[in-house]
Amino acid sequence: MSEAFGFRAFGGPQVQEFFDRPDPVPEPAEVLIRVTAAGVNPLDHKLRSGVVPHFYGERPFPQVFGAEATGVVLAVGAEVEGLDVGDTVFGCAITGAGTYAGTTVLVGANTARKPAGLRDDWAATIPVAATSALNAVDQLDLPRGATVLINGVGGGVGLVTAQVAREQGLNVIGTGGTAKRTLAEAVGARFVDYTDGDVVDRVRALVPDGVDGLVDLVGGASLRTVAPLAREPGKVVSVADATVAELGGEMVRRRVDRADLERAAALMVEGRLDPYIVGTYPLARAAEALALVESGHALGKVVIDLTRGPGVGAAE
Ligand SMILES: NC(=O)c1ccc[n+]([C@@H]2O[C@H](COP(=O)([O-])OP(=O)(O)OC[C@H]3O[C@@H](n4cnc5c(N)ncnc54)[C@H](OP(=O)(O)O)[C@@H]3O)[C@@H](O)[C@H]2O)c1
């Protein structure tokens, strides 16, 4: 049995609640873990709102928030290879089991051993945010020296995308609100504040002929505004909005296998990738953590530290 934070019906924050739940029994392809850290993502509140109910299939309520975590393996399903009881691992809980909980199950194929030297909270940001960044930049397949625009550079995926792009020798321009400038520039992006004048004009002032590729992390009207900045429509990849196809671009093709997880982890261990965790909350304050992300204007990454007792510690 462990404490979990989730919801018993689709809706706004008012449907959120804490409850005790029995430790999930791992399916043959899953591992049961004691969670040490969980990443907070926009997907979490989107699932609670019911806008993507298909994502977890017909999962019964209550559902638990969270899709990515680090933890210690307590039990291993019969079909899982390469993971053992006692390993510290990080991965995805796409079965709807959630990760804002003391224990959960992860999908074995989407879970990897955490390398020595990698912090648990950093590892917990890899399965959703960091692999999205890797997948999006890989999909653009731009040559070194090309210029990529990252729309929404200051959030959990954006700052990592900028670093991955810089690693691949790309020039980076990033859009964001005023508070995102310092970190965007710290990761090597030329920053365009979308609240300060016409964002398209301001990007064109930097690159009159437009950009070679665009990674969109915002979607909607913002995506439609900036998409024409890409010289080729096919070089627009959105992580946030499938209607990018209407513009000639592509939705990111997600892959969260062990190779991707290990690649991102290696970059972090080597000091070449920082998830920029700007908010760490104990489980008791998970609602605050989620509200920060639900604001739509988070800076960097938000995580829940399950090693902290109820109410212990403040957001950092
Ligand atoms: N398909 C997948 O597997 C997958 C995986 C991860 C994430 N996603 C999706 O990708 C999106 C981004 O995720 P995330 O974790 O990075 O979210 P996040 O941490 O909330 O960051 C989003 C960022 O966009 C900025 N933003 C909002 N409006 C903007 C605008 N008009 N122009 C430029 N920037 C703007 C926000 O702050 P400011 O406005 O203050 O700059 C914020 O920093 C979400 O929709 C998420 O659901 C999808």
Side-chain angles (χ1 to χ4, degrees):
M1 187 77 77
S2 77
E3 188 176 31
F5 188 58
F7 47 99
R8 293 183 191 276
F10 293 129
Q14 73 280 359
V15 302
Q16 299 170 182
E17 61 179 283
F18 286 96
F19 46 85
D20 290 330
R21 84 166 168 182
D23 295 342
V25 176
E27 298 287 333
E30 295 177 335
V31 292
L32 173 69
I33 64 164
R34 177 172 52 74
V35 181
T36 56
V40 179
N41 290 288
L43 174 65
D44 305 345
H45 64 77
K46 291 179 187 178
L47 286 167
R48 184 212 61 217
S49 302
V51 293
V52 281
H54 58 281
F55 192 86
Y56 282 168
E58 300 298 317
R59 293 287 301 181
F61 292 115
Q63 295 185 15
V64 175
F65 286 112
E68 61 182 354
T70 302
V72 178
V73 176
L74 301 175
V76 181
E79 295 171 6
V80 176
E81 294 177 2
L83 303 177
D84 296 308
V85 170
D87 287 347
T88 300
V89 299
F90 61 106
C92 286
I94 60 169
T95 58
T99 57
Y100 299 12
T103 59
T104 195
V105 285
L106 302 180
V107 178
N110 304 124
T111 298
R113 278 203 182 101
K114 185 178 74 73
L118 179 60
R119 286 166 45 163
D120 283 24
D121 56 347
W122 283 37
T125 69
I126 291 175
V128 175
T131 61
S132 295
L134 289 175
N135 294 163
V137 176
D138 286 353
Q139 194 168 327
L140 279 177
D141 192 24
L142 296 172
R144 297 183 78 82
T147 298
V148 63
L149 176 66
I150 300 173
N151 192 39
V153 73
V157 180
L159 288 170
V160 175
T161 306
Q163 293 169 80
V164 169
R166 295 290 293 150
E167 273 290 316
Q168 297 191 12
L170 304 179
N171 299 309
V172 175
I173 300 172
T175 65
T178 310
K180 308 303 188 289
R181 177 179 294 279
T182 304
L183 281 188
E185 291 181 344
V187 296
R190 283 183 287 172
F191 183 71
V192 173
D193 183 341
Y194 72 87
T195 69
D196 181 20
D198 185 298
V199 71
V200 171
D201 287 350
R202 306 225 12 249
V203 173
R204 285 217 186 272
L206 299 173
V207 281
D209 296 333
V211 294
D212 301 297
L214 194 162
V215 175
D216 168 62
L217 304 165
V218 183
S222 171
L223 166 61
R224 280 166 167 70
T225 300
V226 298
L229 285 163
R231 274 198 286 278
E232 292 177 39
K235 290 292 185 184
V236 178
V237 171
S238 182
V239 179
D241 188 348
T243 69
V244 65
E246 297 166 7
L247 307 172
E250 296 179 335
M251 191 63 181
V252 66
R253 288 188 290 278
R254 294 285 285 122
R255 257 188 20 190
V256 195
D257 57 25
R258 270 186 206 163
D260 293 300
L261 296 168
E262 288 168 355
R263 185 174 151 210
L267 287 172
M268 289 185 181
V269 170
E270 291 160 12
R272 295 152 65 197
L273 187 61
D274 185 328
Y276 283 98
I277 295 171
V278 296
T280 303
Y281 294 78
L283 182 62
R285 294 177 58 195
E288 283 174 66
L290 188 57
L292 182 56
V293 171
E294 192 161 6
S295 77
H297 300 288
L299 170 67
K301 191 72 192 169
V302 177
V303 297
I304 296 172
D305 179 352
L306 277 293
T307 65
R308 295 186 184 183
V312 178
E316 289 165 355

